Amino acid sequence: MENKKKMHAAITAVGMFVPDKVLDNAYFEKIVDTSDEWIRTRTGIQERRMLENGATSDLATGAAKDLLTTYKINPEEIEVIIVATVTPDMFFPATACLVQDNIGAKNAWGFDMNAACSSFLFALQTGSGLIESGRYKKVLVIGADKMTSITDYNDRNNCILFGDAGAAVLLEPTTDLKYGFQDSLLKVDGSGRESLYMKGGGSLNPSSHETVDKNMHVIYQDGKVVFKAAVKGMADISYDLMEKNNLKGDDIAYLVPHQANLRIIDATAKRMGVGREKVMINIQKYGNTTSATIPLCLVEYYRDGKVKKGDKLILAAFGAGYTWGATYLVWSMD
Ligand code: COA
């Protein structure tokens, strides 16, 4: 690990927002041909949340407000807002603009980041770079997705997987290089684009009666192909990042994996030599919330007193694109 940086980006505040409405597995038994038993054993999911009224900016704003009020931070101090999402309220303006207005961050600029299920890791790398440049002191990184807005509730392969949530972290500089963002490996491979994507609504297939009739505005996924690619991608890159930083399984306090399927999580942990007790898991409560899964885990485990200052964490994700990556950070909050 090259430690030439003068400062690291450290997480100094966290927040989250999940909508109240719960969709349990029994709900899906009523609408498609499935069973609670199948969903639990094949995915690990028991419940997920649905935002009934509102959009992704509301999930992101909820998380940002939770962070700002919990830590009594004046929104005018926020300099940059990055919203990681695949379900922006609109093509434009960016969801970050809507969040900026909602929270009164009068002095911020910002943008959205779309790397599918890896969006939060890509945003965290970008936000950390802005901090390390020395130019910014408060960067808000939010992962938020209203996945229920692009889920086909007639497709039993996919509808059981996804839910809505938002979670946020604040990045600030630390000159104590033991803490904060240490390293990351990130990748894209667009040859995987047709295994997991939304076919319609973009410039390739603009919205029309035909795209609606052909059901092109929902998630399309070849689950088996993505499953295999995700296991290999997440496990390999986490292993490579650990090797690069001379880390063994025992050095790691937690693996923080993207929550897409409990079997993918278990396979990644096994490859890294990390036991289940050292893996952050909340997929049973929320399903796959895409950009929100990793920060949501961080917030919940921290608030439960399970993450301590100095803990070494490996964050890992895999998603559409393909996109994937792993991030090594040392927890910096008391
Ligand atoms: N209830 C009951 N049966 C279902 C079902 C459901 N909700 N969904 C699929 N099945 C059926 C399939 O139709 C198939 O039946 P068949 O053998 O008669 O064709 C059978 O279960 C097995 O399907 P398969 O695709 O092999 O299941 P799986 O074990 O691969 O699990 C996923 C399916 C989608 C859960 C799994 O592939 C997965 O998690 N993929 C990756 C998802 C992901 O991570 N996406 C986000 C990006 S990281």
Side-chain angles (χ1 to χ4, degrees):
M1 181 183 64
E2 73 285 1
N3 235 342
K4 291 183 201 129
K5 301 165 192 163
K6 286 198 215 80
M7 60 186 97
H8 279 171
I11 294 175
T12 56
V14 295
M16 62 178 268
F17 178 83
V18 291
D20 294 330
K21 185 175 169 117
V22 174
L23 301 182
D24 60 12
N25 291 347
Y27 169 83
F28 290 91
E29 287 177 340
K30 286 184 221 132
I31 62 166
V32 288
D33 180 14
T34 191
S35 67
D36 174 48
E37 211 267 328
W38 192 95
I39 300 171
R40 278 176 197 249
T41 52
R42 304 309 290 164
T43 71
I45 301 167
Q46 296 170 25
E47 294 179 353
R48 60 302 274 149
R49 301 296 177 103
M50 178 186 241
L51 182 68
E52 287 184 285
N53 300 306
T56 294
S57 64
D58 297 302
L59 299 164
T61 299
K65 283 189 174 167
D66 179 37
L67 182 153
L68 294 169
T69 50
T70 304
Y71 298 89
K72 298 186 177 55
I73 295 162
N74 179 349
E76 295 184 14
E77 289 173 33
I78 303 295
E79 295 167 297
V80 187
I81 300 169
I82 308 176
V83 177
T85 189
V86 297
T87 51
D89 288 28
M90 298 165 260
F91 268 145
F92 61 89
T95 313
C97 302
L98 312 177
V99 174
Q100 176 279 330
D101 186 42
N102 291 346
I103 64 174
K106 287 191 188 140
N107 299 307
W109 64 281
F111 53 93
D112 291 359
M113 166 85 55
N114 177 352
C117 293
S118 310
S119 296
F120 183 77
L121 291 194
F122 284 37
L124 200 59
Q125 167 68 77
T126 307
S128 296
L130 293 172
I131 295 281
E132 285 164 12
S133 76
R135 195 148 172 186
Y136 299 100
K137 300 213 162 16
K138 278 193 170 59
V139 176
L140 190 57
V141 180
I142 308 171
D145 267 305
K146 187 182 174 183
M147 294 307 290
T148 60
S149 67
I150 55 167
T151 296
D152 177 357
Y153 286 94
N154 296 310
D155 175 3
R156 71 172 181 172
N157 294 288
N158 281 311
C159 67
I160 52 144
L161 298 171
F162 296 98
D164 304 335
V169 302
L170 182 68
L171 298 177
E172 292 187 86
T174 176
T175 50
D176 190 343
L177 301 183
K178 286 196 298 296
Y179 296 109
F181 190 102
Q182 304 287 324
D183 199 7
S184 82
L185 291 173
L186 305 174
K187 302 232 176 172
V188 302
D189 177 0
S191 67
R193 59 184 168 278
E194 288 188 357
S195 299
L196 177 51
Y197 68 129
M198 196 163 86
K199 297 177 180 177
S203 55
L204 180 63
N205 295 301
S207 307
S208 66
H209 284 293
E210 195 191 349
T211 61
V212 173
D213 291 344
K214 288 186 171 163
N215 201 26
M216 291 168 78
H217 297 274
V218 292
I219 303 159
Y220 166 81
Q221 172 168 235
D222 186 339
K224 254 189 197 140
V225 172
V226 175
F227 186 93
K228 274 192 208 138
V231 167
K232 183 164 170 31
M234 244 162 77
D236 283 355
I237 207 155
S238 304
Y239 184 84
D240 290 350
L241 185 68
M242 285 172 66
E243 273 223 321
K244 186 171 170 230
N245 288 277
N246 297 316
L247 294 167
K248 300 268 173 294
D250 286 347
D251 301 320
I252 304 299
Y254 283 105
L255 164 66
V256 192
H258 170 55
Q259 312 277 305
N261 186 315
L262 194 54
R263 291 181 294 137
I264 298 176
I265 294 172
D266 282 340
T268 306
K270 195 171 166 200
R271 175 80 196 277
M272 291 167 64
V274 170
R276 241 301 170 87
E277 72 290 351
K278 296 213 284 185
V279 183
M280 289 194 190
I281 297 171
N282 63 12
I283 191 172
Q284 71 282 3
K285 293 195 285 182
Y286 305 119
N288 184 350
T289 57
T290 302
S291 310
T293 59
I294 289 176
L296 201 57
C297 275
L298 291 173
V299 182
E300 288 203 327
Y301 273 70
Y302 174 64
R303 287 187 174 168
D304 286 349
K306 294 178 185 160
V307 193
K308 304 262 176 314
K309 188 169 181 174
D311 277 353
K312 293 182 170 134
L313 310 180
I314 298 285
L315 286 42
F318 187 92
Y322 296 128
T323 60
W324 69 108
T327 298
Y328 167 34
L329 62 87
V330 180
W331 196 252
S332 44
M333 290 169 74
D334 287 315

PDB file of all heavy atoms in Angstrom, residues 263-276:
ATOM      1  N   ARG A 263     -26.182 -16.425  -0.462  1.00  0.00           N
ATOM      2  CA  ARG A 263     -25.242 -17.445  -0.943  1.00  0.00           C
ATOM      3  C   ARG A 263     -24.027 -16.805  -1.614  1.00  0.00           C
ATOM      4  O   ARG A 263     -22.923 -17.332  -1.541  1.00  0.00           O
ATOM      5  CB  ARG A 263     -25.958 -18.416  -1.898  1.00  0.00           C
ATOM      6  CG  ARG A 263     -26.990 -19.295  -1.159  1.00  0.00           C
ATOM      7  CD  ARG A 263     -27.681 -20.259  -2.095  1.00  0.00           C
ATOM      8  NE  ARG A 263     -28.510 -19.584  -3.064  1.00  0.00           N
ATOM      9  CZ  ARG A 263     -28.580 -19.890  -4.354  1.00  0.00           C
ATOM     10  NH1 ARG A 263     -27.867 -20.869  -4.856  1.00  0.00           N
ATOM     11  NH2 ARG A 263     -29.376 -19.216  -5.157  1.00  0.00           N
ATOM     12  N   ILE A 264     -24.226 -15.646  -2.256  1.00  0.00           N
ATOM     13  CA  ILE A 264     -23.077 -14.923  -2.837  1.00  0.00           C
ATOM     14  C   ILE A 264     -22.198 -14.392  -1.697  1.00  0.00           C
ATOM     15  O   ILE A 264     -20.970 -14.463  -1.742  1.00  0.00           O
ATOM     16  CB  ILE A 264     -23.551 -13.734  -3.722  1.00  0.00           C
ATOM     17  CG1 ILE A 264     -24.387 -14.229  -4.905  1.00  0.00           C
ATOM     18  CG2 ILE A 264     -22.349 -12.915  -4.216  1.00  0.00           C
ATOM     19  CD1 ILE A 264     -24.974 -13.114  -5.777  1.00  0.00           C
ATOM     20  N   ILE A 265     -22.836 -13.888  -0.649  1.00  0.00           N
ATOM     21  CA  ILE A 265     -22.111 -13.345   0.512  1.00  0.00           C
ATOM     22  C   ILE A 265     -21.274 -14.446   1.165  1.00  0.00           C
ATOM     23  O   ILE A 265     -20.086 -14.259   1.452  1.00  0.00           O
ATOM     24  CB  ILE A 265     -23.121 -12.739   1.525  1.00  0.00           C
ATOM     25  CG1 ILE A 265     -23.811 -11.516   0.923  1.00  0.00           C
ATOM     26  CG2 ILE A 265     -22.433 -12.404   2.847  1.00  0.00           C
ATOM     27  CD1 ILE A 265     -24.966 -10.952   1.751  1.00  0.00           C
ATOM     28  N   ASP A 266     -21.877 -15.601   1.377  1.00  0.00           N
ATOM     29  CA  ASP A 266     -21.160 -16.709   2.028  1.00  0.00           C
ATOM     30  C   ASP A 266     -19.956 -17.165   1.206  1.00  0.00           C
ATOM     31  O   ASP A 266     -18.887 -17.450   1.758  1.00  0.00           O
ATOM     32  CB  ASP A 266     -22.114 -17.893   2.255  1.00  0.00           C
ATOM     33  CG  ASP A 266     -23.021 -17.673   3.458  1.00  0.00           C
ATOM     34  OD1 ASP A 266     -22.673 -16.834   4.323  1.00  0.00           O
ATOM     35  OD2 ASP A 266     -24.072 -18.333   3.536  1.00  0.00           O
ATOM     36  N   ALA A 267     -20.142 -17.228  -0.122  1.00  0.00           N
ATOM     37  CA  ALA A 267     -19.043 -17.678  -0.985  1.00  0.00           C
ATOM     38  C   ALA A 267     -17.882 -16.686  -0.935  1.00  0.00           C
ATOM     39  O   ALA A 267     -16.707 -17.086  -0.920  1.00  0.00           O
ATOM     40  CB  ALA A 267     -19.550 -17.843  -2.420  1.00  0.00           C
ATOM     41  N   THR A 268     -18.195 -15.397  -0.897  1.00  0.00           N
ATOM     42  CA  THR A 268     -17.143 -14.367  -0.837  1.00  0.00           C
ATOM     43  C   THR A 268     -16.383 -14.478   0.481  1.00  0.00           C
ATOM     44  O   THR A 268     -15.143 -14.446   0.513  1.00  0.00           O
ATOM     45  CB  THR A 268     -17.768 -12.959  -0.968  1.00  0.00           C
ATOM     46  OG1 THR A 268     -18.557 -12.921  -2.146  1.00  0.00           O
ATOM     47  CG2 THR A 268     -16.703 -11.876  -1.035  1.00  0.00           C
ATOM     48  N   ALA A 269     -17.119 -14.613   1.583  1.00  0.00           N
ATOM     49  CA  ALA A 269     -16.502 -14.687   2.916  1.00  0.00           C
ATOM     50  C   ALA A 269     -15.572 -15.902   3.003  1.00  0.00           C
ATOM     51  O   ALA A 269     -14.465 -15.824   3.550  1.00  0.00           O
ATOM     52  CB  ALA A 269     -17.586 -14.750   3.983  1.00  0.00           C
ATOM     53  N   LYS A 270     -16.031 -17.015   2.439  1.00  0.00           N
ATOM     54  CA  LYS A 270     -15.243 -18.245   2.485  1.00  0.00           C
ATOM     55  C   LYS A 270     -13.899 -18.049   1.780  1.00  0.00           C
ATOM     56  O   LYS A 270     -12.850 -18.409   2.299  1.00  0.00           O
ATOM     57  CB  LYS A 270     -16.043 -19.364   1.804  1.00  0.00           C
ATOM     58  CG  LYS A 270     -15.530 -20.729   2.097  1.00  0.00           C
ATOM     59  CD  LYS A 270     -16.496 -21.780   1.582  1.00  0.00           C
ATOM     60  CE  LYS A 270     -15.786 -23.122   1.577  1.00  0.00           C
ATOM     61  NZ  LYS A 270     -16.412 -24.071   0.700  1.00  0.00           N
ATOM     62  N   ARG A 271     -13.965 -17.452   0.588  1.00  0.00           N
ATOM     63  CA  ARG A 271     -12.749 -17.225  -0.197  1.00  0.00           C
ATOM     64  C   ARG A 271     -11.755 -16.336   0.554  1.00  0.00           C
ATOM     65  O   ARG A 271     -10.547 -16.473   0.444  1.00  0.00           O
ATOM     66  CB  ARG A 271     -13.150 -16.579  -1.529  1.00  0.00           C
ATOM     67  CG  ARG A 271     -12.005 -16.162  -2.398  1.00  0.00           C
ATOM     68  CD  ARG A 271     -11.435 -17.367  -3.152  1.00  0.00           C
ATOM     69  NE  ARG A 271     -10.121 -17.083  -3.704  1.00  0.00           N
ATOM     70  CZ  ARG A 271      -9.918 -16.461  -4.859  1.00  0.00           C
ATOM     71  NH1 ARG A 271     -10.937 -16.089  -5.591  1.00  0.00           N
ATOM     72  NH2 ARG A 271      -8.698 -16.222  -5.273  1.00  0.00           N
ATOM     73  N   MET A 272     -12.311 -15.379   1.364  1.00  0.00           N
ATOM     74  CA  MET A 272     -11.451 -14.448   2.096  1.00  0.00           C
ATOM     75  C   MET A 272     -10.971 -15.023   3.424  1.00  0.00           C
ATOM     76  O   MET A 272     -10.190 -14.377   4.133  1.00  0.00           O
ATOM     77  CB  MET A 272     -12.215 -13.147   2.367  1.00  0.00           C
ATOM     78  CG  MET A 272     -12.489 -12.345   1.115  1.00  0.00           C
ATOM     79  SD  MET A 272     -13.693 -11.063   1.458  1.00  0.00           S
ATOM     80  CE  MET A 272     -12.819 -10.060   2.641  1.00  0.00           C
ATOM     81  N   GLY A 273     -11.485 -16.186   3.805  1.00  0.00           N
ATOM     82  CA  GLY A 273     -11.112 -16.768   5.093  1.00  0.00           C
ATOM     83  C   GLY A 273     -11.725 -16.016   6.260  1.00  0.00           C
ATOM     84  O   GLY A 273     -11.137 -15.901   7.339  1.00  0.00           O
ATOM     85  N   VAL A 274     -12.920 -15.488   6.050  1.00  0.00           N
ATOM     86  CA  VAL A 274     -13.605 -14.715   7.087  1.00  0.00           C
ATOM     87  C   VAL A 274     -14.860 -15.488   7.509  1.00  0.00           C
ATOM     88  O   VAL A 274     -15.661 -15.886   6.658  1.00  0.00           O
ATOM     89  CB  VAL A 274     -14.004 -13.321   6.525  1.00  0.00           C
ATOM     90  CG1 VAL A 274     -14.931 -12.594   7.476  1.00  0.00           C
ATOM     91  CG2 VAL A 274     -12.766 -12.489   6.247  1.00  0.00           C
ATOM     92  N   GLY A 275     -15.033 -15.727   8.807  1.00  0.00           N
ATOM     93  CA  GLY A 275     -16.197 -16.468   9.310  1.00  0.00           C
ATOM     94  C   GLY A 275     -17.471 -15.624   9.263  1.00  0.00           C
ATOM     95  O   GLY A 275     -17.404 -14.398   9.209  1.00  0.00           O
ATOM     96  N   ARG A 276     -18.628 -16.299   9.272  1.00  0.00           N
ATOM     97  CA  ARG A 276     -19.937 -15.626   9.195  1.00  0.00           C
ATOM     98  C   ARG A 276     -20.095 -14.500  10.239  1.00  0.00           C
ATOM     99  O   ARG A 276     -20.722 -13.478   9.994  1.00  0.00           O
ATOM    100  CB  ARG A 276     -21.019 -16.642   9.474  1.00  0.00           C
ATOM    101  CG  ARG A 276     -22.081 -16.979   8.467  1.00  0.00           C
ATOM    102  CD  ARG A 276     -22.973 -15.882   7.964  1.00  0.00           C
ATOM    103  NE  ARG A 276     -23.753 -16.372   6.861  1.00  0.00           N
ATOM    104  CZ  ARG A 276     -24.932 -16.993   7.001  1.00  0.00           C
ATOM    105  NH1 ARG A 276     -25.468 -17.150   8.181  1.00  0.00           N
ATOM    106  NH2 ARG A 276     -25.566 -17.410   5.933  1.00  0.00           N
TER     107      ARG A 276
END
